[in-house]
Amino acid sequence: MPYAIGIDVGGTHLRVALIDGGGKILNRRAEVVGEARDPAPFFARLAGSIRETAGEYLPKISGVGLGLPGICNGREKVIHQLPHFPAWRDVSVVDLLQKEFDCPIVFDNDANMAAVGEHWKGIAAHWPSFIMLTLGTGIGGGVFLNGKIWQGEEGFAGEVGHMVIDRNGPACICGQKGCWEVYAASQSVPKGTTAEKLSQEASAGDAQARLFWKNFGAALGVGILNLAHITGVEHFVIGGGIGKAFDHFIASAKNSIQKGAYPRLSEKIVVFPTALDGNAALLGCAASVLC
Amino acid sequence: MPYAIGIDVGGTHLRVALIDGGGKILNRRAEVVGEARDPAPFFARLAGSIRETAGEYLPKISGVGLGLPGICNGREKVIHQLPHFPAWRDVSVVDLLQKEFDCPIVFDNDANMAAVGEHWKGIAAHWPSFIMLTLGTGIGGGVFLNGKIWQGEEGFAGEVGHMVIDRNGPACICGQKGCWEVYAASQSVPKGTTAEKLSQEASAGDAQARLFWKNFGAALGVGILNLAHITGVEHFVIGGGIGKAFDHFIASAKNSIQKGAYPRLSEKIVVFPTALDGNAALLGCAASVLC
């Protein structure tokens, strides 16, 4: 049985997992990213975490896969931009870890890794083409076409959160107006409450909370339709923190999707929640090494 | 030297051309589509036009390529939907023409064929990935990824005109609100004038006409940025009737593009006008047979 290390780096936390060739997670640890965000100290510490997570399996590791929250250029093997790690400009991840480990090291954007995980062990196992949407603070996208991730010319494919759906809408942190993630990610949750609270309230029948999820779903549906009209992809997987409220927003999203320009397309669009319990990216990291 | 027949079917006109393996158009005829829009009489007449256009080259023809204004499912070899030809529902184009000609017959959406033409003999000859935008009454899109047309799961890729960029905007004929083509196609030209007049007036310094093209370009740029954020494609070719006003709207479009979420992406986006003088789709039809 082959083994791999998967690493899912978030803005505040990172997770390291030992995963076998069947997709089973044998060991997993979560750490706070903390202050050591410059590449050299970050990777020195990460090497230690990898060793501890692998334990006695270390000599049997086939490779290390990393999911990173930013723009990754796989061809040039550099990170263009990680919003939470401003010092990572054109960092060569592979070189930094290769010093420590004598095995293949691969990396990609976290939403792309989640898509690979969904294709390996999730709902998308039998879908040659689909788009993974990770709904968190923003919206990450993994565009999976004909059996593999489509990176775009330089790694920018899947930056779907900054698709403008309301050009006269409110400002996005990116400088544009009316980006998709302003409406259909956790940044749309009003101050003073949380997505979890709004879900509980909606379940209890609260009209205000239900209206929130209705509007959230309507905007989500507009963006999914745009993606379908552009890419012709008909299969979508929803993950990410606020994606857990799937049951609260999906009816409204489907209502939007039915209003598309082509009934033949709209009726084919399927939107499913992830069934991988937050481990899609970790599994994708392992699959990128093992498959 | 091999030869092919290219056929570009529009809403009101169709053009048939004899094209050689070097991309030279040896003969070309244009016809009014007229009333005979049901598949059987349409293809019977088209067979006659092909014979007349080919003339003495008929026995040397390697194949016939057709560009059609609608949703084509190449895998199932049927037309899903042609707005101008409502009787064409799941028509098997190949079967209808194959009765008449003993050579390969291929077809695709006209914007896809234009993209193939641009890649064969146009500005995109050295671009492995790009998006063709045909700006006419609506906006057609040909999504060319890694050396070939990306069709989507069932032929719906590239229906970019119905990407919503202003979800509270005016109604589109498709039933959605604020579709891209409401703003950046000839349907945005005010009643009582034409794109040609507005171009002449803008050249002469008319403020109203210049404002029209500024707004047109701004909306065009928003959509191009969306496409770049989603697909990671950085190269765009503009064709179509109102695309001829390129010089009037490109500065404003570029201004929009510079406002994208990722400066590293925005600065890489290039937008060029077609140099194929309206023959991109015909050339693409020939290339689909000959290449």
Side-chain angles (χ1 to χ4, degrees), chain A residues 80 90 150 153-154 156 158-159 162 164-165 167 176 226 229-232 234-235 259 262 264 268, chain B residues 80 90 150 153-154 158-159 164-165 167 176 225-226 229-232 234-235 259 262 264 268:
Chain A
H80 276 323
D90 297 332
W150 169 252
E153 295 189 53
E154 293 179 292
F156 286 94
E159 293 303 312
H162 297 294
V164 170
I165 62 167
R167 59 193 293 236
Q176 299 186 108
N226 276 0
H229 285 140
I230 293 162
T231 65
E234 299 166 358
H235 292 82
K259 293 176 187 154
Y262 303 97
R264 287 282 283 263
K268 288 289 187 74
Chain B
H80 276 323
D90 298 331
W150 169 252
E153 295 190 54
E154 294 179 289
E159 293 303 312
V164 170
I165 63 168
R167 59 193 291 236
Q176 299 186 107
L225 258 184
N226 277 0
H229 285 139
I230 293 162
T231 65
E234 299 167 358
H235 293 82
K259 293 175 187 155
Y262 303 97
R264 288 280 283 264
K268 288 289 186 73

Side-chain angles (χ1 to χ4, degrees), chain A residues 1 37 62 92 161 168 202 233 249:
Chain A
M1 178 74 88
R37 294 185 177 221
S62 299
S92 174
N168 297 307
V233 170
F249 58 69

